[in-house]
């Protein structure tokens, strides 16, 4: 029996120390190139499909914005909950290699079904929706299932002594994720918009290309099969873990206070389960406890649309410059320390975003609350006017002729809408005009004089800033002839005698020579700079032989340069590099060999719960944007402090020491003894 045990241990150890082909004399296995290319193609496939998914829901399936957004987020969340299933299959049944291959096939099928559902001639709208949902579910199980396996499988290819090379592999692996994301989010929308098929945007092609990339990913991964280290699964790990936990809890609960004390509550399962398994469960639980605060980082990360190009720049900078410089200062920057610093960077990023948002808000006109509306007055009469509004002291000072309007004033309505009689004092004469106002809208009251007195016009205003960083513009024509204005491909028709054109958006630019026509005459007017985010009203004055513009600003232009967003992007990207990559490395290095995929899935679950936090805080709090940014930053600082304290007391585990701690039996023998004990108990 002693000889057989010794032989089994030798075979087990020789399997662990087998050497693989290396890249160009380095310690990097050749096979990791297949894994990195596979990850690039898979991420291209996933993000390329997601880049057009919401547009597909709205424009092709004709869903409204709310439903489209809900389904999109439900799909994204499912992709981060399904890794648990993939990890269980890999660690307990098929092993990582076969799990990646089989679930990649499911992934490809999902893309194919999704592409077929985007072909108009295939059934009616019900069929399209059914195929789309079926495809998304298959994709979610495919991408989620392989997520925890690919990174762990890549880490398995390195020898135990090459920890530095394995750390750099995770950096390269993360770069491949962002490279695939970057290219796909550029290329896929182009395929949808610029290529026409079936009489419209080619969603079938936009979904078909990711399917092709996923096929390439699968082929590339299988091509390296002969070079991979493939660790076989070691039985139903999860079931053993659950039974062990259950027994430990049961024995601890039923034990009396006179029983001998155990160092750890899991030790109460020692009577039936191997010490090695109990020790491995302790390792996993310690890491999972550390993961508890981490969703807050992903909650912040989810609020930012980061540029993947910055990730591709920052990863090599940190690996080649930043970390070596820190090492020269003899600072031991462990993965947990890196993650804590990454949290601080993310909090600083949101602090910077708060400052930018506060300054942006200074140029924003806040909509009126319920029961109120916004009102400004244009005095286009020949002299000063003074207004009187019943029950209000608004506009109590005289308004000069053709002066820029004062800031919007809040007019109390006391309900959904109200008709108000406005009194106007002009040149010693009193005039009245009745206007109906609706709550939460913005208005301009335009006054001009005629021989009969003062005439009132109520115009609805646009106070929202352009999402395309353009300017809004409208015209008021005081002339006796209608005017047509054309600028930057946008046409305005302004009726005669104080006619008002609709608000339209135009590109930010200097407009020094704008073409106008009135009757049979052509004119050129100078409007100057129409700046981003502003809303302008241009008064057209003059006689029959000329047009004189007078530009007034209703909503101020954005005065915060876009470059002020660079610090928050740089800080958030640095935070991601220092948090995410060390997190993947830590999850791998501290997991037992038979639970590496499971712990990677636990890491991915922190992302899923981060999304849940966003929904709770952002949707439930109802805060202003800058207050929401500040809240998230404060929460992350608090979480970082908690995490740092937990990390301080964490003891890193050297997996190579496991065999020294438990030298008398191999894992297989432990499992044989476990089965024998269970059989004896049954008997």
């Amino acid at each position: 029996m002693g000889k057989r045990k010794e032989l089994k241990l030798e075979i087990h150890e020789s399997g662990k120390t087998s050497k693989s082909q290396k890249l160009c004399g380095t310690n990097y296995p050749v096979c990791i190139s297949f894994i990195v290319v596979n990850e690039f193609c898979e991420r291209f496939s996933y993000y390329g499909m997601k880049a057009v998914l919401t547009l597909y829901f709205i424009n092709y399936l004709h869903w409204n914005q709310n439903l489209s957004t809900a389904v999109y987020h439900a799909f994204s969340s499912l992709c981060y909950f399904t890794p648990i299933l993939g990890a269980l299959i890999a660690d307990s049944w098929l092993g990582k290699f076969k799990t990646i291959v089989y679930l990649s096939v499911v992934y490809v099928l999902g893309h194919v079904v999704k592409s077929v559902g985007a072909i108009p001639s295939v059934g009616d709208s019900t069929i399209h929706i059914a195929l789309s949902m079926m495809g998304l579910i298959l994709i979610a199980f495919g991408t989620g299932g392989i997520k925890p396996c690919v990174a762990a499988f890549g880490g398995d290819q390195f020898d135990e002594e090459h920890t530095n090379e394995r750390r750099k592999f995770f950096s390269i692996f993360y770069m491949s994720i962002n490279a695939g994301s970057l290219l796909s989010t550029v290329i896929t929308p182009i395929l949808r918009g610029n290529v026409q098929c079936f009489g419209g945007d080619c969603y079938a092609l936009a979904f078909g290309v990711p399917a092709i990339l996923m096929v390439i990913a699968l082929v590339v991964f299988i091509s390296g099969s002969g070079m991979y280290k493939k660790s076989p699964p070691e039985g139903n790990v999860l079931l053993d873990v659950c039974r062990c936990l259950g027994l430990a809890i049961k024995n601890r609960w039923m034990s009396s206070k006179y029983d001998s004390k155990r160092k750890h509550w899991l030790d109460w399962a020692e009577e039936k389960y191997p010490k090695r398994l109990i020790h491995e469960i302790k390792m996993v639980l310690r890491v999972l406890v550390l993961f508890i605060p981490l969703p807050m980082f992903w909650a912040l990360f989810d609020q930012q649309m980061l540029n993947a190009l910055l990730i591709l720049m920052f990863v090599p900078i940190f690996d080649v410059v930043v970390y070596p410089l820190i090492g020269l200062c003899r600072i031991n920057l462990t993965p947990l320390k890196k993650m804590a610093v990454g949290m601080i960077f993310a909090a600083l990023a949101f602090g910077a975003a708060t400052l930018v948002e506060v300054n942006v808000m200074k140029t924003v006109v806040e909509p009126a609350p319920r029961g109120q509306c916004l009102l400004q007055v244009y005095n286009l009469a020949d002299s000063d006017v003074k207004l009187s509004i019943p029950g209000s002291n608004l506009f109590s000072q005289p308004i000069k002729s053709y002066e820029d309007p004062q800031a919007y004033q809040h007019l109390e309505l006391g309900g959904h809408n109200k008709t108000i009689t406005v009194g106007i004092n002009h040149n010693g004469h009193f005039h009245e005009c009745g206007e109906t106002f609706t709550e939460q809208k913005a208005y301009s009251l335009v006054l001009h004089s005629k021989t009969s007195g003062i005439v009132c016009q109520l115009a609805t205003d646009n106070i929202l800033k352009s999402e395309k960083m353009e300017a809004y513009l409208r015209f008021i024509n005081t002339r006796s002839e209608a005017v047509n204005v054309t600028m930057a491909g946008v046409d305005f028709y302004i009726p005669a005698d104080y006619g008002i054109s609709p608000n339209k958006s135009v590109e930010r630019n200097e407009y020094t020579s704008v073409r106008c026509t009135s009757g049979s005459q052509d004119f050129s007017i100078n409007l100057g700079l129409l700046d981003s985010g502003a809303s302008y009203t241009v008064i057209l004055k003059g006689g029959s032989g000329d047009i004189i513009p007078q530009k007034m600003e209703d909503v101020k232009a954005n005065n915060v340069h876009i470059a002020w967003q660079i610090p928050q992007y740089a800080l958030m990207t640095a935070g991601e590099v220092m948090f995410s990559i060390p997190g993947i490395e830590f999850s791998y290095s501290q997991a037992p060999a038979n639970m590496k995929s499971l712990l990677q899935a636990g890491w991915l679950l922190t992302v899923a719960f981060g999304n849940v936090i966003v929904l709770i805080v952002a949707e439930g709090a109802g805060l202003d944007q800058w207050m929401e940014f500040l809240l998230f930053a404060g929460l992350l600082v608090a979480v970082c402090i908690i995490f740092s304290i937990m990390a301080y007391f964490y003891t890193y585990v050297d997996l190579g020491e496991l065999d020294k701690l438990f030298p008398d039996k191999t894992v297989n023998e432990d499992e044989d003894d476990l089965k024998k004990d269970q059989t004896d108990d049954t008997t």
Side-chain angles (χ1 to χ4, degrees), residues 83 133 206 223 275 335 351 363 401 406 470:
M133 295 302 100
S223 299
K275 290 184 178 181
T363 68
S401 177
Q406 302 172 16
E470 295 180 334

Side-chain angles (χ1 to χ4, degrees), residues 604-626:
L604 292 169
L605 273 180
T606 65
V607 182
F609 286 115
N611 293 334
V612 173
I613 293 174
V614 172
L615 292 176
I616 294 173
V617 176
E619 299 298 328
L623 301 174
D624 291 337
Q625 187 72 72
W626 70 270

Side-chain angles (χ1 to χ4, degrees), residues 1 39 41 105 153 187 195 228 234 295 308 315 378-379 576 597 600 677:
M1 176 66 182
E39 185 65 13
C41 294
V105 173
F153 189 67
I187 294 174
V195 179
Y228 296 139
E234 298 184 9
V315 169
Y378 279 97
N379 177 18
E576 181 186 358
S597 295
Q600 288 291 324
D677 290 343

Side-chain angles (χ1 to χ4, degrees), residues 89-195:
I89 295 173
D91 287 342
S92 302
W93 181 24
L94 296 176
K96 300 182 190 74
F97 177 78
K98 288 183 179 179
T99 301
I100 295 170
V101 171
Y102 294 161
L103 289 182
S104 292
V105 173
V106 173
Y107 201 160
V108 171
L109 288 176
H111 275 306
V112 171
V113 171
K114 190 83 181 65
S115 301
V116 172
I119 300 175
S121 58
V122 178
D124 56 13
S125 61
T126 303
I127 298 297
H128 295 158
I129 293 173
L131 290 174
S132 297
M133 295 302 100
M134 185 186 303
L136 287 177
I137 291 171
L138 291 173
I139 291 171
F141 278 96
T143 186
I146 68 175
K147 271 178 186 291
C149 303
V150 179
F153 189 67
D156 288 348
Q157 307 311 308
F158 289 84
D159 298 329
E160 285 298 323
E161 63 269 21
H162 298 148
T163 55
N164 191 49
E165 286 80 2
R166 186 172 61 207
R167 180 184 65 78
K168 292 182 178 178
F169 159 74
F170 286 125
S171 295
I172 297 169
F173 183 82
Y174 203 74
M175 288 179 67
S176 70
I177 293 173
N178 285 276
S181 167
L182 176 64
L183 290 178
S184 65
T185 51
V186 172
I187 294 174
T188 309
I190 293 175
L191 292 176
R192 176 199 64 83
N194 294 0
V195 179

Side-chain angles (χ1 to χ4, degrees), residues 238-536:
L238 180 65
L239 184 60
D240 290 343
V241 169
C242 292
R243 285 176 173 173
C244 182
L245 290 171
L247 181 64
I249 294 171
K250 176 185 175 182
N251 287 349
R252 179 66 186 88
W253 180 263
M254 296 180 65
S255 66
S256 69
K257 62 181 180 179
Y258 302 106
D259 286 348
S260 59
K261 301 297 182 182
R262 315 279 174 112
K263 289 184 177 180
H264 192 280
W265 63 272
L266 271 171
D267 294 338
W268 289 91
E270 284 183 351
E271 64 187 46
K272 184 175 290 188
Y273 290 92
K275 290 184 178 181
R276 183 185 184 110
L277 176 63
I278 293 172
H279 186 78
E280 289 174 343
I281 296 173
K282 291 177 183 178
M283 291 167 53
V284 171
L285 289 180
R286 283 198 295 267
V287 175
L288 290 178
V289 169
L290 271 177
F291 283 177
I292 292 174
L294 302 189
M296 183 53 65
F297 175 88
W298 297 116
L300 267 72
F301 178 80
D302 194 54
Q303 301 292 299
Q304 297 264 326
M305 293 299 290
L306 295 181
N307 187 353
L309 183 60
L310 281 178
I311 299 293
L312 297 177
M313 294 168 57
F314 274 46
V315 169
I317 289 174
F318 272 80
D319 276 351
V320 177
V321 179
V322 177
Y323 292 150
L325 285 177
I326 294 174
L328 290 175
C329 299
R330 297 183 179 180
I331 298 175
N332 182 21
L333 202 58
T334 62
L336 292 179
K337 290 178 181 177
K338 291 178 184 177
M339 292 168 68
V341 175
M343 288 183 179
I344 295 297
F345 276 133
L348 290 174
F350 269 71
T354 301
L355 293 176
V356 172
E357 186 67 20
V358 167
N359 283 280
V360 167
M361 290 302 294
K362 293 178 181 178
T363 68
V364 172
V365 177
E366 289 289 340
R370 290 188 177 276
Q372 296 181 8
C373 70
L374 299 179
L375 179 64
Q376 65 175 1
V377 178
Y378 279 97
N379 177 18
L380 306 185
D382 52 10
S383 60
D384 296 359
V385 298
K386 190 173 181 180
L387 271 61
S388 59
I389 300 175
S392 171
N393 60 354
L394 300 179
F395 308 106
S396 57
Q397 298 299 316
I399 302 172
K400 297 184 179 297
S401 177
Y402 282 92
E403 75 171 352
D404 283 1
Q406 302 172 16
Y408 281 99
Q409 304 293 312
H410 287 256
L411 180 61
E412 289 286 348
L413 302 180
H416 178 64
N417 53 46
K418 184 179 182 180
T419 300
I420 298 175
T421 300
V422 180
I424 304 159
N425 196 321
H426 175 247
N427 290 337
H429 299 283
F430 188 76
H431 309 273
E432 290 184 336
C433 56
E435 301 292 348
T436 301
F437 300 89
T438 302
E439 65 178 353
Q440 297 184 303
K441 288 191 174 183
Y443 297 97
S444 287
L445 183 62
V446 181
L447 308 176
H448 65 273
S449 54
K450 283 190 175 182
T451 54
S452 58
I454 291 293
V455 178
C456 303
Q457 288 178 270
L458 191 65
T460 303
D461 293 356
N462 175 70
I463 58 172
L464 298 178
K465 289 181 175 285
S466 169
E467 295 181 356
K468 299 179 180 179
M469 303 299 290
E470 295 180 334
Y472 281 106
L473 179 66
R474 67 178 174 185
F475 294 90
I476 300 177
N477 180 18
T478 67
R479 304 169 76 254
S480 58
E481 289 184 319
V483 178
N484 289 285
V485 178
T486 300
M487 52 189 300
V490 181
D491 296 324
F492 294 86
Y493 172 74
I494 313 102
D497 297 323
Y498 297 92
I500 304 175
S501 72
N503 265 300
K504 295 184 180 181
S505 61
V506 296
E507 296 177 357
R508 180 191 184 276
N509 209 338
E510 287 272 357
Y511 293 93
T512 57
S513 181
V514 177
R515 181 175 177 270
C516 305
T517 60
S518 181
S520 59
Q521 293 181 296
D522 289 339
F523 301 93
S524 178
I525 60 175
N526 182 4
L527 298 181
L529 175 65
L530 300 183
D531 211 348
S532 300
S535 288
Y536 299 97

